[in-house]
Amino acid sequence: MKSTQEFTWKEQYEQKQTQYLSQLQQFSLHMLCMPASEIDLTIVKEIEENPMVEFEEYAALPAGNEYNRNQIEQLAQTRTLFDELKQQLALIHGCNMDIADLILMNLDAHGFLADACIDDFIKAGYARRIILDTIEKLKICEPAGLGCRDVKDFILFQLQRLCNPDPTAIRIVEHYLELFYFNRQSERLLLAVQCSREELLRAEASILSCQPYPAQLQDDFAYIQPDVIITLQPALCIEIRQPCYRLKPSSIAMQYEYKEYAKAYVSRIRQINDAITMRNTTLYHIMEYIIQEQEEFFYRHGTLRPLTMQEAGTRLHMHKSTISRAVCDKYVQVQDNVYPMRIFFNNDPLHCGHTQQSIALQIRQIIEQEQSPWKDEEIAKALQHKGIRISRRTVSKYRQRMGVDNYKSRRGYHERKDL
């Protein structure tokens, strides 16, 4: 008995359209996401690696713009916090820079100077009076308060610098800080300080407004470099910050015998230049559209109106993701102020034309006008009656972002206020 097997082969053709990005398009999108500082690093790296490249510095920005390239580059230079402090101390008359260097090197991560360090300085032969005098000079530098002994000393320093120092707050920090921390607004603290409840509430507000540390000392910091500089007067001028150098193929690459070898390197130079041109053009059109739509903010110092990236993309014939890439990590300088470009796109479509700032303002107004504390759910319902579709959890996030307590804590505040 024989068994037979039959195999059938069937060919099926399917037509499918798939979009692939070319290498130049991928590189252009990558450059579009870069802020100006990263563009500079990319160009410097290309100068170091590409043997067929020549470069020249860009000229200063056009006349009429008060921010020229040299000023921007000077601001962008990375300097350590110690360099800044030493420069400030050098300007103070009578400051002993030797002791100042010792103090700066012995500050801890929060900017405090331990008493043991002062004892070591005295043992090394420095006069106590000069040491304390130098510490006082350091405290008035920016950031203020560096050289304080601990959190308590720094809070006292902040309270005493106020125009109208609160004597109750100073007395609490000097003698009852631990009791204040663990038993805030308790009867025990009230009896210890011997003040009225209103005075205690004012002192509490003053103490809580203080920062715990003068600084988080880091190795270095850098100034923000604006990618777009806008001048409104006498006429609107939008300047896209150019990279530090302009690349071009070298004269050797143009010679006939080197053309094959130089082909790939010259292609890289053209890719970078084309990507930078495309990036700058995209940023210019987006910024021009933003100024048109946010005219109230730029010309009359008003509030930002609701604006989505989808609207900008539709008007500029770009995809929403292109707008998002273009404004990511970019900053715009308007007169003396610097803003992240992303803040100009501030609308959530579920909130029916209300910006995050306006919703936060309405939540704060509801809380300030409440006779008795409202729960987050009740605030959400009140906003829904105004046409704002918002959940209880979203209200809670807004409230926490503004530093407003929950309804239970606010209820305790209302009870104390009524006493």
Side-chain angles (χ1 to χ4, degrees):
M1 187 175 179
K2 295 182 179 179
S3 62
T4 60
Q5 292 183 348
E6 293 183 0
F7 295 93
T8 304
W9 297 91
K10 184 179 180 181
E11 292 185 0
Q12 185 174 358
Y13 295 95
E14 181 181 355
Q15 188 172 4
K16 184 169 65 172
Q17 187 175 11
T18 307
Q19 182 179 10
Y20 293 97
L21 294 177
S22 67
Q23 186 178 0
L24 177 59
Q25 288 174 319
Q26 294 178 20
F27 184 72
S28 297
L29 287 175
H30 180 61
M31 294 283 279
L32 183 63
C33 297
M34 289 184 181
S37 56
E38 290 187 24
I39 295 281
D40 288 343
L41 292 176
T42 302
I43 290 178
V44 171
K45 184 180 178 182
E46 184 66 21
I47 292 172
E48 293 173 350
E49 296 178 354
N50 193 331
M52 294 295 168
V53 69
E54 288 182 355
F55 63 92
E56 58 184 12
E57 292 191 13
Y58 269 96
L61 295 175
N65 194 320
E66 57 182 322
Y67 300 98
N68 61 42
R69 176 156 305 281
N70 293 329
Q71 289 173 321
I72 293 174
E73 289 180 350
Q74 286 172 8
L75 287 175
Q77 290 176 357
T78 301
R79 302 184 62 191
T80 64
L81 181 55
F82 292 124
D83 291 337
E84 292 289 333
L85 291 169
K86 286 172 70 174
Q87 183 177 353
Q88 294 179 56
L89 289 168
L91 298 175
I92 300 177
H93 178 70
C95 182
N96 189 311
M97 293 307 297
D98 292 335
I99 296 179
D101 287 340
L102 283 174
I103 293 172
L104 291 175
M105 286 189 292
N106 284 275
L107 295 176
D108 66 13
H110 298 305
F112 294 138
L113 182 69
D115 288 333
C117 294
I118 299 177
D119 296 336
D120 291 339
F121 299 157
I122 295 173
K123 291 177 183 177
Y126 293 99
R128 184 181 187 87
R129 179 184 59 81
I130 299 177
I131 295 170
L132 297 179
D133 181 63
T134 306
I135 292 174
E136 291 302 317
K137 288 181 170 64
L138 175 62
K139 286 181 180 180
I140 63 174
C141 295
E142 288 295 332
L146 290 170
C148 290
R149 293 189 301 274
D150 49 27
V151 174
K152 176 181 176 180
D153 191 27
F154 181 53
I155 293 177
L156 277 174
F157 172 77
Q158 293 175 81
L159 292 173
Q160 290 165 354
R161 290 188 76 193
L162 296 175
C163 296
N164 297 305
D166 188 337
T168 306
I170 293 175
R171 190 161 69 252
I172 290 173
V173 174
E174 285 178 337
H175 305 290
Y176 309 106
L177 186 59
E178 186 175 352
L179 183 61
F180 172 83
Y181 181 77
F182 291 105
N183 300 279
R184 191 185 310 165
Q185 298 180 353
S186 66
E187 294 298 328
R188 183 182 171 190
L189 179 61
L190 203 60
L191 292 173
V193 180
Q194 295 183 349
C195 65
S196 66
R197 194 172 294 274
E198 289 295 329
E199 290 175 335
L200 183 61
L201 289 174
R202 284 198 299 270
E204 176 192 358
S206 297
I207 295 171
L208 294 180
S209 67
C210 296
Q211 298 294 325
Y213 308 119
Q216 294 288 341
L217 299 186
Q218 301 173 348
D219 293 335
D220 51 51
F221 67 96
Y223 290 97
I224 289 175
Q225 299 182 49
D227 297 84
V228 184
I229 300 173
I230 296 176
T231 306
L232 301 175
Q233 299 296 337
L236 175 64
C237 178
I238 302 174
E239 294 290 341
I240 307 298
R241 183 179 179 272
Q242 299 291 346
C244 51
Y245 300 109
R246 180 191 286 112
L247 301 181
K248 61 180 182 179
S250 66
S251 56
I252 296 177
M254 295 296 100
Q255 296 178 15
Y256 179 78
E257 58 268 27
Y258 295 105
K259 277 194 174 180
E260 282 302 317
Y261 169 73
K263 194 172 182 180
Y265 292 109
V266 172
S267 176
R268 278 169 50 177
I269 297 171
R270 287 173 179 159
Q271 276 190 0
I272 292 175
N273 288 336
D274 291 345
I276 290 174
T277 301
M278 192 179 301
R279 170 188 179 273
N280 292 349
T281 303
T282 303
L283 279 176
Y284 183 89
H285 290 311
I286 291 174
M287 201 65 240
E288 190 178 38
Y289 171 76
I290 288 173
I291 294 173
Q292 290 174 0
E293 296 297 321
Q294 303 288 6
E295 186 177 353
E296 181 74 20
F297 175 83
F298 284 100
Y299 287 99
R300 290 180 283 278
H301 306 290
T303 58
L304 293 171
R305 83 165 192 82
L307 183 64
T308 64
M309 293 184 185
Q310 184 66 52
E311 293 174 0
T314 303
R315 178 74 70 84
L316 299 173
H317 306 290
M318 299 179 188
H319 195 273
K320 183 175 73 172
S321 62
T322 304
I323 305 290
S324 179
R325 286 187 179 97
V327 302
C328 178
D329 296 329
K330 309 290 194 311
Y331 291 86
V332 54
Q333 180 172 309
V334 186
Q335 307 300 347
D336 295 329
N337 300 313
V338 178
Y339 306 98
M341 284 188 70
R342 192 173 284 275
I343 70 164
F344 300 112
F345 300 98
N346 51 22
N347 185 46
D348 185 344
L350 291 177
H351 294 161
C352 304
H354 293 271
T355 64
Q356 293 182 1
Q357 292 89 340
S358 66
I359 293 172
L361 180 61
Q362 292 189 56
I363 292 174
R364 183 176 290 279
Q365 288 175 348
I366 291 174
I367 293 173
E368 289 177 351
Q369 295 172 4
E370 62 188 7
Q371 299 299 322
S372 59
W374 284 26
K375 296 181 179 179
D376 293 339
E377 185 177 358
E378 295 171 330
I379 296 174
K381 289 181 179 178
L383 292 173
Q384 287 169 8
H385 288 313
K386 297 181 179 181
I388 303 174
R389 295 169 56 190
I390 191 169
S391 65
R392 178 195 61 79
R393 292 181 63 186
T394 306
V395 171
S396 178
K397 290 178 181 178
Y398 274 104
R399 179 178 51 73
Q400 292 171 6
R401 196 183 303 164
M402 293 187 292
V404 178
D405 293 331
N406 59 26
Y407 88 99
K408 289 183 180 179
S409 300
R410 299 202 307 275
R411 183 172 60 189
Y413 172 77
H414 279 278
E415 289 174 355
R416 292 191 300 271
K417 190 176 179 181
D418 294 337
L419 292 176

